[in-house]
Amino acid sequence: MPLVDLRSDTVTRPTPAMLRAMAAAETGDDVYGEDPTVNALEEQVAARFGHEAAVFVPTGTMGNQICLQLVVPPAEELLCGAEDHVVTYEHGGAARYGGISSRTVTAPRGLVDVDAVAPQLRPAGWGTVATRAVSVEQTHNRGGGAVHPLAALTELRALADRHGVLLHCDGARIWNAAVASGTPLEAYGALFDTLSVCMSKGLGAPVGSLVVTDAARAAEARVLRKRLGGGMRQAGVLAAAAAHALEHHLDRLADDHARARALAEALADAAPGVVDPALVETNIVPLDLTGCAVDGPQLAAAARAEGVLLSVVGPRRARLVTHLDVGDEAVGRAADVVARLLMS
Ligand SMILES: Cc1ncc(COP(=O)(O)O)c(C=O)c1O
């Protein structure tokens, strides 16, 4: 029986059609700006978000780190959510590479909004570290794939404008947000000074993210990318995978969302309180194991023994993530296994 790997939507393998697109890609040296496939991808992604430019980078982490350096000068402040990827999983990169001082606010399901941010903004010039930018994560990874509502982001933009503060979006899964909420990518794009969007999560490309911003910042982003070691040469093979993913795997994210919801419903029936299906908006099913006999590591080990892989994200927190490589049968099998383990 093949393993059902629900640890993350990053575990997908390139499809045969994607591999064919990669093999057929026209390439050039992208550090010279001469890779036509990269250039076309950058133009396409910038246009989808209504921005002037985009820069292809190897990873979402590098995309975020470049953006943070674009919006916060050294020794000044970034405000973000306490559970955000940029301060949880990026190994202090903002401090290390950008000399950025990060301060966090808490918000339910990671959905940092004006109420959380407004009291924390600090102006320059009266003895405190000046807040230069606010970062939000769309969808929110540790928040269980929660979607920032467009109206809340619009309020945040207005607040940022009133205070002369910039806005960054870690849009690793912004595609899921757009599909789940029916919001055009352009509407999200209009709200942010910089976005980092990933092709290697739900869209299923093997590698690659893009920094999306205006032309002047994009030029600076190319320098920052080179400094960080992210200048790639014949990267068109990777950009071709990303372009294929955008064309063929964007709308199908709705299938991942439906499967995640079905999984959540099955688990909620088996173990009430572990997950609220109404809060499963996209492809992540967060499990709260507080009242359960098993903790996260025990559940993961027992599930693995039965061919189902899930992620432990805290002592009593776990998650399951649906993606391109798991269909109804696999998700159904995972639901049966995990439900039984939660009941035992
Ligand atoms: C919300 C979020 N941002 C950024 C990243 C970083 O992406 P990468 O693993 O490509 O560096 C991830 C990775 O899972 C993520 O979930």
Side-chain angles (χ1 to χ4, degrees), residues 48-51 71 112 133-136 138 147-161 165-170 174 177 181 183-196 212-214 217:
R48 282 187 187 244
F49 286 95
H51 271 267
V71 294
V112 167
V134 174
S135 174
V136 299
Q138 179 76 306
V147 178
H148 287 270
L150 186 66
L153 293 175
T154 305
E155 281 178 21
L156 201 54
R157 175 78 253 177
L159 177 78
D161 285 344
V165 163
L166 300 178
L167 264 196
H168 168 63
C169 178
D170 175 356
I174 199 164
S181 67
T183 304
L185 293 170
E186 208 168 345
Y188 288 139
L191 297 174
F192 297 101
D193 299 287
T194 56
L195 301 97
S196 171
V212 181
T213 186
D214 61 35
R217 287 197 183 97

Side-chain angles (χ1 to χ4, degrees), residues 79-118:
L79 264 189
C80 66
E83 294 276 321
D84 286 5
H85 195 279
V86 291
V87 286
T88 306
Y89 296 116
E90 300 189 10
H91 294 281
R96 170 83 191 188
Y97 303 119
I100 293 168
S101 179
S102 300
R103 197 153 52 90
T104 60
V105 298
T106 54
R109 304 168 71 223
L111 299 180
V112 167
D113 60 10
V114 276
D115 294 336
V117 168

Side-chain angles (χ1 to χ4, degrees), residues 59-61 64 85 90 137 141 170 172-173 198 200-201:
T59 65
T61 299
N64 277 332
H85 195 279
E90 300 189 10
E137 189 174 310
N141 180 341
D170 175 356
R173 296 184 180 79
C198 291
S200 59
K201 311 290 180 304

